[in-house]
Amino acid sequence: MGTILMPGATLGILQQKNFNFVSSLCLVHHHSLIFPPARTRKRRLLNNGNWNWKSRTVVFSTVDDSNDSSANMVDDDDGFMLRGTEDLVIEENELVATKKALYEARARQEAIEKERDQLLEELAQSQAKQQEHVATILRDKEVAITELEAAKSLFHNKLQESVEERFTLESKLVLAKQDAVELAVQVEKLAEIAFQQATSHILEDAQRRVSAAETSAAEAAFHIEEQIRIATEGTILSIVEQSRDAIEKALDVAEKAGDYATRAVAVFTDGINPVDEIASVQSENIKLQGILNDLESQLLITRNEIAKLKVELEQVNAQAKASELRAEDAEKALLEFQESNREMTIQREEEINSLLEKMKKDAAEKKKAASKAFKAELESIKAAIKAAKETAYSRNEAYMRRCEALQRSLRASEAASKMWKHRAEIAESLLLKEEEDEDAIYIVNGGRIDLLTDDDSQKWKLLSDGPRRETPQWMARRIRSIRPRFPPRKIDVSEALTSNFRPLDLPKPDEVWSIAQEKLKERDTLIEHVIEKETIEKKRKALERALQRKTIQWQKTPEETKLEPGTGTGREIVFQGFNWESWRKQWYLDLAPKAADLSRCGVTAVWLPPPTESVAPQGYMPSDLYNLNSAYGSVEELKHCIEEMHSQDLLALGDVVLNHRCAQKQSPNGVWNIYGGKLAWGPEAIVCDDPNFQGKGNPSSGDVFHAAPNIDHSQDFVRRDIKDWLNWLRNDIGFDGWRLDFVRGFSGTYVKEYIESSNPAFAIGEYWDSLAYEHGSLCYNQDVHRQRIVNWINATGGTSSAFDVTTKGILHSALHNQYWRLIDPQGKPTGVMGWWPSRAVTFLENHDTGSTQGHWPFPRDKLTQGYAYILTHPGTPTIFYDHFYDFGFRDVITELIEARKRAGIHCRSSVKIYHANNEGYVAQIGDALVMKLGQFDWNPSKEINLDGSWQKFVDKGSDYQLWLRQ
């Protein structure tokens, strides 16, 4: 036998029992013991005062009858023990702690995201409250203005009444003046009669005196008129007194003139009886006295009337002063109210702004702090992961070094076994020799082994029994605690199957190859989207092949194309006949006269606004579906508008809202979920996953619209009522098709059922969601976005078209010298137009994206290019009311429609794109039209692959150009 000296850096202590070493020892069990490097272990031994560092002697023994090479190793240092297992446990604990920290970081990240969503929701609520507060202020302002206008109108009415009373009083005074003038005229006539009976000179003198009386009367009348003119400054009584004095003076003058005439007649008359003349004059005087009495009585009556008029005038003046005082008080109150309202509004706006700024600042600070904390945690997690990777790498390195060392030890042990076997054979041959001297000593191998042939020799016992002594129990316990647990040798299949030991799960060669080649594997969450993309691509290609076969068939016989709900005639041009502010007018009456003009311009279908009664005036919050008296007009006006459309061969498309409906009554809990009208539904008609309205129906089959109760279309009675309502609109009102609002809220299978029941000529669904953006820029690949729209069309069974939101979003960026966005990797147009053109309804703006809402407005300077694109490409183009009538693009759009019709372009026309780069875009649509966008220097003669003769039809310079085949 012999010994092998192993250095102190040996990496393990093996148990007393035999271990079988094979060439693949390092791969036997997956719970491999990993020891720290030799230098570290040596440093631990040196620092411990109880242990001494020294080399250890290990003895290997070989059994001749065994087929496998084996070795038994033991450490003769009783106090030495490694702590590899403890290091492994510590590192596993570190890995668990790292995983726990990563989980906590993810939990904190989710909490931060929830807090951010809550802050955003609170901000939205505050903005809604602000808008409500502003609306309340505006309503209060309108009420105050209305009250002020009412007070102002009342004041004007009372002032008008006082002015009318004043005019009435002045007219009465004018009548009194006329009576006085008539009295003076009568006196003049009497004096004229008296003087006619006297001599001519007496008569002339009397006439002069009467003229003087007339002058006095005129002066009196003039004084009366002056007094009437200043009636508000003087008294009416003084005017009457002055009038009476003037009249009495006139009568005195008349009496004196009569007496003088009598005396003159008495003097100059010869042969005439003066008594008769005197009697006649006296009779005339009596008559004059009677007339004077009548005048006095009339004067008294006039005085009484003037007194009454004076009292009434004083009352009118008092009322006018009171009205003026009230008007001044009202103006003061109005000014004070306006000032206080302005101050209150400014104060509230300042408070709201400060609150918003504070909320924004707090949100920004919280977001910044959360982002900073998250970044710090992420960095720590990355550092921990990096450390874990380094640790794993170091472990792998140590494990590989240990495996290599074990393999070297195994090879050395095998060599030693061979050597010991050879030496044992030599020893056996020596022992078997019969020698006379039994005490002879043989020295073998240069004196390394001194073999004594005595039977009682210790070396013989060492050779036969081995060098080991019995291992103490305390050492055996320590050895068991640190030794690797190698699985025992399996000799029976049943024993191998029932054993607790498991083999090391190493990757198979084909698995290693698949990892190296990055092949896809099932249930791998990191590449599920890749598998989904491949599946969608396969389905899309199969669908395109099927559609291509149908399209080729239809292109051969376009006149035989039947009317379909999803495409109409295939050559429809839709006009959206309203905007967001159309409800402010009598819109049906305003739109009906435009039917003839739209038909002349080439439009084939008009999209009308929502017809039902609605909480919001725009019509998109319907309540009573059978009440068609809306903000746009009455039901009679709607029917008249539809009749005008039909008279011009235009389809009338109704905007129907089927996703939600506003309730008319509150439940006992105060929730608005009780409907009225003909469709008197209850909470069972509302989906249950909308927390705002406590619905009792089934969960929603789409996205929830939180502003109103979402209808549960899975209920049979709901679908039955909606189908009856659509048929009523179709047959009784006259609608030809539908524009379906917010179809993301419910499954397309219900849309298919509604369309098949109502049988519209054309149907369009609004499936609007966000496109893909990266770092604020639009991504080139929008296949996922348009796939969602195509999936919805598939759900309807192709019975409905859908707005091509993808094409609109791409045109926003493509027309800014990024025309390469208009071609996909397969050479087709981007958007739904490139995959399913017969179901793509292209548009640039509508009442939501444009108009006064402006959620997603199209670039104003690129509108003509946008219409040049959608009106010359397949699909069903849509024209917006504002662009056609308000922006002045009517002639441009009409010219493009004419080019479309001349070229025979329809919803299934083919597209061949020749160029799409930063400079421009060139494509041939169908067989008869070629168009160019941008500054690209191109014409049909420069294209080699373009045959035929072409004539330029439209030339808008760098915007767009069109050519038609001659």
Side-chain angles (χ1 to χ4, degrees), residues 807-864:
T807 296
K808 170 184 167 55
I810 291 172
L811 285 174
H812 275 251
S813 300
L815 298 182
H816 289 86
N817 297 327
Q818 298 179 12
Y819 300 99
W820 46 267
R821 294 182 179 273
L822 298 178
I823 182 172
D824 65 5
Q826 288 75 33
K828 298 180 180 180
T830 50
V832 182
M833 181 197 304
W835 282 0
W836 206 342
S838 64
R839 299 300 187 270
V841 179
T842 54
F843 72 106
L844 301 182
E845 274 188 358
N846 55 30
H847 59 285
D848 288 324
T849 63
S851 189
T852 55
Q853 290 202 101
H855 292 318
W856 194 18
F858 199 88
R860 182 69 63 90
D861 58 338
K862 301 297 181 182
L863 281 173
T864 55

Side-chain angles (χ1 to χ4, degrees), residues 7-14 33-46 48 51 53 56 73 75 77-88 402 474-475 477-484:
T10 305
L11 298 177
I13 301 174
L14 302 179
L33 181 60
I34 298 174
F35 297 96
R39 289 177 294 178
T40 306
R41 206 160 33 79
K42 183 176 180 180
R43 188 163 52 250
R44 291 179 183 171
L45 294 174
L46 291 174
N48 194 336
W51 292 359
W53 171 257
R56 291 176 297 280
M73 299 189 304
D75 192 344
D77 188 355
D78 297 337
F80 175 75
M81 182 182 66
L82 286 176
R83 298 182 180 178
T85 304
E86 295 178 0
D87 293 340
L88 179 61
R402 181 172 177 271
W474 61 270
M475 182 178 290
R477 286 195 299 270
R478 290 187 179 182
I479 292 173
R480 283 196 297 270
S481 64
I482 63 172
R483 66 178 177 83

Side-chain angles (χ1 to χ4, degrees), residues 902-934:
R902 287 192 181 187
I905 298 174
H906 49 84
C907 68
R908 298 179 178 87
S909 295
S910 61
V911 179
K912 184 177 181 181
I913 302 174
Y914 291 101
H915 303 281
N917 49 39
N918 290 331
E919 296 179 359
Y921 170 87
V922 178
Q924 179 183 354
I925 301 92
D927 296 327
L929 187 142
V930 176
M931 64 95 62
K932 177 185 77 73
L933 297 175

Side-chain angles (χ1 to χ4, degrees), residues 535-552:
T535 305
I536 293 171
E537 187 70 13
K538 291 178 181 178
K539 291 182 179 179
R540 183 184 65 79
K541 289 182 178 179
L543 183 61
E544 278 188 349
R545 286 193 295 269
L547 289 175
Q548 189 176 8
R549 290 193 295 270
K550 292 183 180 180
T551 304
I552 292 172

Side-chain angles (χ1 to χ4, degrees), residues 225-378:
E225 186 176 0
E226 288 294 329
Q227 293 299 326
I228 291 172
R229 187 177 293 113
I230 58 174
T232 55
E233 299 178 358
T235 60
I236 303 300
L237 184 61
S238 61
I239 296 172
V240 174
E241 292 293 336
Q242 291 177 2
S243 300
R244 182 179 177 183
D245 293 340
I247 293 171
E248 288 178 354
K249 288 180 181 180
L251 292 175
D252 291 337
V253 171
E255 288 179 357
K256 289 180 181 180
D259 293 339
Y260 184 75
T262 302
R263 287 194 300 270
V265 169
V267 174
F268 292 101
T269 54
D270 291 333
I272 298 173
N273 191 2
V275 177
D276 294 334
E277 293 294 331
I278 290 169
S280 62
V281 171
Q282 287 179 352
S283 62
E284 291 296 331
N285 289 333
I286 291 169
K287 291 179 179 179
L288 289 173
Q289 189 67 32
I291 292 170
L292 182 63
N293 292 331
D294 293 335
L295 288 173
E296 288 179 353
S297 62
Q298 291 179 1
L299 185 62
L300 290 174
I301 294 170
T302 303
R303 182 186 298 172
N304 293 330
E305 291 178 354
I306 290 172
K308 292 180 181 179
L309 291 174
K310 181 180 178 182
V311 173
E312 292 177 357
L313 181 62
E314 290 176 354
Q315 292 177 355
V316 169
N317 290 331
Q319 291 178 358
K321 290 181 180 179
S323 299
E324 289 177 356
L325 292 175
R326 287 196 298 272
E328 291 177 356
D329 294 336
E331 289 178 354
K332 291 180 180 179
L334 177 61
L335 292 175
E336 292 176 355
F337 175 76
Q338 288 179 348
E339 187 66 24
S340 62
N341 192 12
R342 190 182 298 107
E343 293 176 355
M344 187 180 298
T345 303
I346 293 172
Q347 184 178 1
R348 289 179 179 176
E349 289 179 353
E350 290 177 354
E351 291 177 356
I352 292 171
N353 291 330
S354 62
L355 182 60
L356 288 175
E357 291 295 332
K358 184 178 179 181
M359 291 178 66
K360 289 180 180 178
K361 187 176 179 181
D362 293 339
E365 290 177 356
K366 290 182 179 179
K367 185 177 180 181
K368 187 176 180 181
S371 178
K372 186 176 180 181
F374 176 74
K375 287 181 179 179
E377 291 177 357
L378 188 61

